[in-house]
Amino acid sequence: MYTSRVFEPNKRVSFKDYNKVGRFVADCFKFDKTERFMVVLLDAKDKLINTCTLAEGDFDGVNVNMMRLLQLVVLKQAAKIIIAHNHFEKDLCESVNDMLLTNTIEDALKSLGVQLKEHYIVCDKDYIGLKQGKNF
């Protein structure tokens, strides 16, 4: 099961700025003791619908259930998503697995007409986007 935060439509924050979103997701991971994968669901105007922790792992990885991710996107009627996970080794460099996961998720979302806006990796207060902010 995943945890979720729901935002009322009139109180939705706009996620159009790469650094603003980066600070938001970094803040979501600040107390974590294990690796976690989260998804930020957005509407067509980049307004926040919901955030969810989709998976939790241990210190060296997390397994993402693709079916659960796609079900969540459809259920919440997201037009765009941002994904993020944290690294504990004090290294913001993406791994081969990070890049493969990004590409797999992006391809699956395309079949639904949903855009993967960014994939952030977070370590402490620092973050990088694997798509390097190209969709902001």
Side-chain angles (χ1 to χ4, degrees):
M1 207 72 196
Y2 53 81
T3 57
S4 175
R5 284 186 3 197
V6 178
F7 296 84
E8 296 299 321
N10 61 343
K11 295 182 181 179
R12 290 186 188 162
V13 176
S14 180
F15 276 19
K16 293 187 177 185
D17 178 83
Y18 172 81
N19 287 311
K20 182 178 181 180
V21 177
R23 287 188 300 271
F24 175 86
V25 297
D27 192 52
C28 291
F29 290 105
K30 69 182 175 184
F31 297 114
D32 287 1
K33 303 285 188 238
T34 59
E35 220 173 278
R36 184 166 59 98
F37 181 91
M38 71 176 285
V39 60
V40 178
L41 301 151
L42 304 172
D43 67 14
K45 295 182 179 179
D46 294 321
K47 297 282 187 172
L48 182 61
I49 297 170
N50 195 303
T51 65
C52 297
T53 296
L54 199 60
E56 292 188 29
D58 50 29
F59 289 102
D60 64 350
V62 61
N63 291 320
V64 177
N65 182 316
M66 187 64 66
M67 183 63 75
R68 190 178 294 173
L69 173 62
L70 297 177
Q71 286 173 339
L72 181 64
V73 168
V74 170
L75 177 70
K76 299 297 182 181
Q77 300 177 342
K80 302 174 186 179
I81 71 166
I82 295 166
I83 56 176
H85 75 280
N86 53 339
H87 279 184
F88 280 95
E89 62 274 2
K90 307 286 184 207
D91 184 5
L92 284 173
C93 293
E94 71 274 7
S95 68
V96 172
N97 287 340
D98 292 337
M99 295 305 296
L100 288 172
L101 179 63
T102 301
N103 293 337
T104 300
I105 290 173
E106 190 162 38
D107 289 344
L109 290 172
K110 282 180 186 175
S111 69
L112 299 174
V114 176
Q115 178 189 10
L116 175 60
K117 192 161 174 162
E118 186 61 271
H119 180 174
Y120 285 94
I121 297 174
V122 176
C123 185
D124 293 327
K125 293 180 182 180
D126 297 322
Y127 56 87
I128 61 164
L130 299 186
K131 296 170 76 71
Q132 301 175 346
K134 293 177 185 166
N135 292 321
F136 283 87

